[in-house]
Amino acid sequence: MEGGNYSVVSEIVLVGLTSSLEMQIVLFLVFSVFYVAGILGNLLIVLTVISDSHLHSPMYFLLANLSFIDMWISSVTVPKMICDIFKERKVISFQGCIAQMFFIHVIGGTEMVLLVFMALDRCVVICKPLHYLTIMNFRTCTLLLVASWTIGIIHSLIQLVFVVILPFCGPNEVDSFYCDFPRFIRLACTIIDRLELIVTANSGFISLGTFCILIISYIFILITVRQHSSSGLSKAVSTLSAHITVVVLFFGPCIFVYSWPFLTVPVDKFLAIFDVIITPFLNPIIYTFRNKEMKMAMRRIFIQVLSFWKLF
């Protein structure tokens, strides 16, 4: 990685997902529906938690922030991908590519850490129910949120500082629908062995590490619930199985792409669809729309809005 940044590449060409017109039409319709539904669903959750005083608790505070993050994790890549589907030549500026990679890893890293803190929140409410509100007070929740964003930003910057000094002097085609570190740095006109290790150690560690912590915490919750109440075990299994499904869909592609990032195969760009489209769409359904309190709060807001419009 010696030398300065003598980049002569001004734009990056994205290969995309398919060149078949029939598949492009299908993907355009499917991605548009999932993206809009995910944005509206997550926005509804954020507004509901903010406006309903019954939801001003640590759990819903964290859930609202998860929904906020999900809106952005989709918006960094999906709108451009939808706009580019029918274009024969899909391009993004060099600076835009750098910015996209930065925000993908900031938001992705933040969500991973936040999911761990949400699991911690559930552990506290089960193990220390009488002290829950004392432990998980507003100050603690704020610190956890700040820690999530701080770790996400540091995680992204560690990789970015090495990428921006790379020389790019020729190849500019990326076999994907968005910019990401593993494929992007392969365009550099220099040896990237050390940078490959940095990306693997950084992104691979945060992906695999947080996934293992989440699975262990879910197992711990199930064991604790079983010890306290056998009747509550079936409900806990039902809830956590849905959570684990979303976690696997989110972390699976990340672990596959970043733990072995430079054995790039065409399937990894299709796996990325789960992270940027499917998971942000499923999170509102799994974490909140199945929640009785959330549904009651939405019903109250709907009635209030309906009553307001009846005045006119």
Side-chain angles (χ1 to χ4, degrees):
M1 289 185 290
E2 63 278 354
N5 182 10
Y6 51 88
S7 170
V8 295
V9 175
S10 60
E11 63 181 20
I12 302 297
V13 178
L14 303 173
V15 173
L17 293 172
T18 179
S19 58
S20 167
L21 179 59
E22 292 79 6
M23 282 302 300
Q24 287 174 347
I25 294 172
V26 172
L27 292 178
F28 176 82
L29 294 174
V30 172
F31 290 165
S32 298
V33 170
F34 271 74
Y35 174 67
V36 172
I39 291 294
L40 292 178
N42 284 298
L43 181 60
L44 178 60
I45 290 168
V46 173
L47 295 177
T48 301
V49 172
I50 291 174
S51 59
D52 195 299
S53 59
H54 296 86
L55 301 181
H56 291 176
S57 65
M59 182 181 77
Y60 293 108
F61 173 81
L62 296 175
L63 282 173
N65 279 282
L66 177 66
S67 292
F68 177 77
I69 291 171
D70 277 337
M71 287 192 292
W72 286 105
I73 206 168
S74 292
S75 299
V76 171
T77 57
V78 179
K80 175 165 179 54
M81 178 180 66
I82 292 173
C83 293
D84 284 349
I85 283 181
F86 296 111
K87 291 181 180 178
E88 185 175 344
R89 190 168 185 269
K90 307 168 179 61
V91 298
I92 182 172
S93 68
F94 186 85
Q95 293 76 13
C97 193
I98 294 289
Q100 192 176 65
M101 291 188 295
F102 171 73
F103 287 113
I104 285 172
H105 282 265
V106 168
I107 299 168
T110 301
E111 177 158 344
M112 290 179 183
V113 178
L114 184 61
L115 286 170
V116 171
F117 288 150
M118 288 172 64
L120 173 66
D121 172 74
R122 294 299 87 198
C123 289
V124 173
V125 77
I126 290 172
C127 300
K128 301 284 186 180
L130 298 178
H131 303 284
Y132 173 67
L133 292 178
T134 303
I135 298 172
M136 296 298 294
N137 53 44
F138 179 75
R139 181 174 180 272
T140 302
C141 290
T142 303
L143 288 174
L144 292 178
L145 184 62
V146 171
S148 299
W149 280 100
T150 302
I151 293 172
I153 292 171
I154 292 173
H155 155 69
S156 184
L157 284 176
I158 286 174
Q159 297 169 108
L160 197 68
V161 293
F162 291 100
V163 170
V164 295
I165 63 172
L166 288 175
F168 295 89
C169 54
N172 68 336
E173 186 175 275
V174 173
D175 184 15
S176 185
F177 60 89
Y178 72 108
C179 292
D180 202 3
F181 289 117
R183 291 186 180 276
F184 181 77
I185 68 174
R186 292 174 73 90
L187 304 178
C189 304
T190 187
I191 298 173
I192 57 169
D193 293 347
R194 285 179 290 175
L195 187 53
E196 289 179 355
L197 292 176
I198 291 172
V199 173
T200 303
N202 190 344
S203 295
F205 174 77
I206 194 172
S207 301
L208 188 58
T210 49
F211 176 75
C212 291
I213 292 172
L214 281 171
I215 297 300
I216 292 170
S217 66
Y218 289 153
I219 294 172
F220 174 77
I221 289 172
L222 288 175
I223 294 173
T224 307
V225 170
R226 184 181 180 182
Q227 291 174 344
H228 286 78
S229 170
S230 57
S231 60
L233 182 61
S234 59
K235 183 180 179 181
V237 170
S238 174
T239 301
L240 289 181
S241 61
H243 289 195
I244 291 171
T245 300
V246 174
V247 165
V248 169
L249 288 176
F250 179 71
F251 282 90
C254 292
I255 293 171
F256 180 85
V257 171
Y258 298 116
S259 294
W260 302 275
F262 302 97
L263 297 175
T264 51
V265 291
V267 72
D268 61 4
K269 63 181 179 181
F270 293 97
L271 288 174
I273 294 172
F274 286 98
D275 285 336
V276 300
I277 296 180
I278 306 298
T279 304
F281 170 78
L282 289 178
N283 275 349
I285 300 172
I286 298 299
Y287 285 101
T288 50
F289 289 160
R290 298 169 75 245
N291 183 288
K292 185 178 178 180
E293 287 185 68
M294 179 63 72
K295 288 190 288 188
M296 290 176 61
M298 289 180 178
R299 191 176 295 114
R300 285 193 295 268
I301 292 175
F302 178 75
I303 293 172
Q304 290 174 0
V305 172
L306 200 62
S307 301
F308 175 78
W309 283 108
K310 285 181 178 179
L311 297 175
F312 294 93

